Amino acid sequence: MAFAEYVCRSYRGSMLVRDPNHSTKWAYRLSSKPSPSASLEEEIYSLRKKMEQLALKEQCLTAPKVVEISTILDKKLNEYMGIFQRA
């Protein structure tokens, strides 16, 4: 598959994200209040899933609709990264 799959585990206010194909792991501390980027994270997740499904359906990563969603996703990811660079 062309898209990475991650395994997420939550334990006592922390989240561990692991790539099952590699030994790569990321740990995050969960906040009790939602961050301002929470809705942006949901939007990114939704766009990524939509792009994955469409790419599988079209069987082509360069199909116009896949590229369109990918472009929107890139802009949202840049916006998300900008939030953390300013913090």
Side-chain angles (χ1 to χ4, degrees):
M1 181 175 218
F3 305 102
E5 294 294 325
Y6 298 101
V7 178
C8 299
R9 301 271 190 255
S10 180
Y11 179 74
R12 293 187 180 195
S14 295
M15 179 170 282
L16 177 68
V17 181
R18 179 177 60 84
D19 182 344
N21 299 325
H22 299 90
S23 61
T24 307
K25 296 179 183 178
W26 302 273
Y28 298 95
R29 171 83 65 205
L30 300 175
S31 174
S32 59
K33 60 181 180 175
S35 69
S37 63
S39 63
L40 185 56
E41 289 173 8
E42 291 171 8
E43 191 173 358
I44 288 169
Y45 178 80
S46 175
L47 282 166
R48 181 172 181 246
K49 283 296 184 187
K50 188 175 184 179
M51 183 183 71
E52 288 176 1
Q53 292 169 352
L54 192 56
L56 288 173
K57 179 183 171 192
E58 296 285 330
Q59 296 185 353
C60 180
L61 293 174
T62 57
K65 289 203 177 251
V66 175
V67 172
E68 179 183 343
I69 293 173
S70 177
T71 303
I72 295 168
L73 180 58
D74 286 344
K75 289 177 184 176
K76 294 296 178 180
L77 287 168
N78 288 337
E79 183 180 337
Y80 183 81
M81 294 306 291
I83 290 171
F84 292 103
Q85 288 178 348
R86 284 177 266 174

